[in-house]
Coordinates of all heavy atoms in Angstrom, one line a residue:
E205 N 26.1 57.6 29.5 CA 26.5 58.0 30.8 C 27.8 57.3 31.1 O 28.1 56.2 30.7 CB 25.5 57.7 31.8 CG 24.3 58.2 31.5 CD 23.1 58.0 32.5 OE1 23.4 57.0 33.4 OE2 22.1 58.5 32.5
L206 N 28.7 58.0 31.8 CA 30.0 57.4 32.2 C 30.1 57.8 33.7 O 29.9 58.8 34.1 CB 31.2 58.1 31.5 CG 32.4 57.7 32.1 CD1 32.7 56.1 31.7 CD2 33.6 58.5 31.7
N207 N 30.4 56.8 34.5 CA 30.8 57.1 35.9 C 32.2 56.5 36.1 O 32.3 55.3 36.2 CB 29.8 56.6 36.9 CG 29.1 55.4 36.3 OD1 29.8 54.5 35.9 ND2 27.8 55.3 36.6
V208 N 33.1 57.4 36.4 CA 34.5 56.9 36.5 C 35.3 57.7 37.3 O 35.2 59.0 37.3 CB 35.2 56.7 35.2 CG1 35.2 58.1 34.3 CG2 36.6 56.3 35.1
S209 N 36.1 57.1 38.1 CA 37.1 57.8 39.0 C 38.4 58.2 38.3 O 39.0 57.2 37.6 CB 37.4 57.1 40.3 OG 38.5 57.7 41.1
P210 N 38.9 59.4 38.4 CA 40.0 59.8 37.6 C 41.4 59.4 38.3 O 42.3 59.7 37.8 CB 39.9 61.2 37.4 CG 39.3 61.7 38.6 CD 38.3 60.5 39.0
Y211 N 41.3 58.9 39.4 CA 42.5 58.8 40.3 C 42.9 57.4 40.5 O 43.7 57.1 41.3 CB 42.3 59.5 41.5 CG 41.9 60.9 41.3 CD1 40.6 61.3 41.7 CD2 42.6 61.8 40.6 CE1 40.2 62.6 41.4 CE2 42.2 63.1 40.3 CZ 41.0 63.5 40.7 OH 40.6 64.8 40.4
D212 N 42.5 56.3 39.7 CA 42.9 55.0 39.9 C 44.0 54.8 38.8 O 43.9 54.9 37.5 CB 41.8 54.0 39.6 CG 42.1 52.6 39.6 OD1 43.4 52.3 39.8 OD2 41.3 51.7 39.6
S213 N 45.2 54.7 39.3 CA 46.5 54.6 38.4 C 46.3 53.4 37.4 O 46.9 53.4 36.4 CB 47.7 54.5 39.2 OG 47.7 53.3 40.0
S214 N 45.6 52.5 37.8 CA 45.5 51.3 36.9 C 44.6 51.5 35.7 O 44.7 50.7 34.7 CB 44.8 50.1 37.6 OG 43.4 50.4 37.8
V215 N 43.9 52.7 35.5 CA 43.1 52.9 34.4 C 43.6 54.1 33.5 O 42.9 54.6 32.7 CB 41.6 53.2 34.8 CG1 41.1 51.9 35.5 CG2 41.5 54.4 35.5
M216 N 44.7 54.7 34.0 CA 45.3 55.8 33.2 C 45.7 55.5 31.8 O 46.4 54.6 31.6 CB 46.5 56.4 33.9 CG 46.1 57.1 35.2 SD 44.9 58.3 35.1 CE 44.5 58.8 36.8
C217 N 45.2 56.4 30.8 CA 45.6 56.2 29.5 C 45.4 57.4 28.8 O 45.8 58.5 29.5 CB 44.8 55.0 28.8 SG 43.0 55.2 29.0
E218 N 45.0 57.5 27.6 CA 45.0 59.0 26.8 C 44.1 59.9 27.5 O 43.1 59.6 28.0 CB 44.5 58.6 25.5 CG 45.5 57.8 24.6 CD 46.8 58.3 24.5 OE1 47.1 59.6 24.7 OE2 47.8 57.6 24.2
P219 N 44.4 61.2 27.6 CA 43.6 62.3 28.2 C 42.3 62.5 27.3 O 42.4 62.2 26.2 CB 44.5 63.4 28.2 CG 45.6 63.2 27.2 CD 45.7 61.7 27.1
S220 N 41.3 62.9 27.9 CA 40.2 63.3 27.2 C 39.4 64.4 28.0 O 39.9 64.7 29.2 CB 39.2 62.1 27.2 OG 38.7 61.7 28.5
V221 N 38.5 65.1 27.3 CA 37.8 66.2 28.0 C 36.8 65.6 29.0 O 35.9 64.8 28.5 CB 37.2 67.1 27.0 CG1 36.0 67.9 27.6 CG2 38.1 67.9 26.3
R222 N 36.9 66.0 30.2 CA 35.7 65.6 31.1 C 35.9 66.6 32.3 O 36.3 66.2 33.4 CB 36.0 64.2 31.6 CG 34.6 63.5 32.0 CD 34.8 62.1 32.3 NE 35.8 61.5 31.5 CZ 35.4 61.0 30.2 NH1 34.3 61.2 29.7 NH2 36.4 60.4 29.4
P223 N 35.4 67.8 32.1 CA 35.6 68.8 33.2 C 34.6 68.5 34.4 O 33.6 69.2 34.5 CB 35.3 70.1 32.4 CG 34.4 69.7 31.5 CD 34.7 68.3 31.0
G224 N 35.0 67.4 35.1 CA 34.1 67.2 36.3 C 33.0 66.5 35.9 O 31.9 66.3 36.8

Side-chain angles (χ1 to χ4, degrees):
E205 306 175 351
L206 172 79
N207 28 45
V208 59
S209 169
Y211 305 113
D212 181 349
S213 61
S214 66
V215 301
M216 290 303 174
C217 48
E218 297 299 339
S220 65
V221 162
R222 208 175 322 280

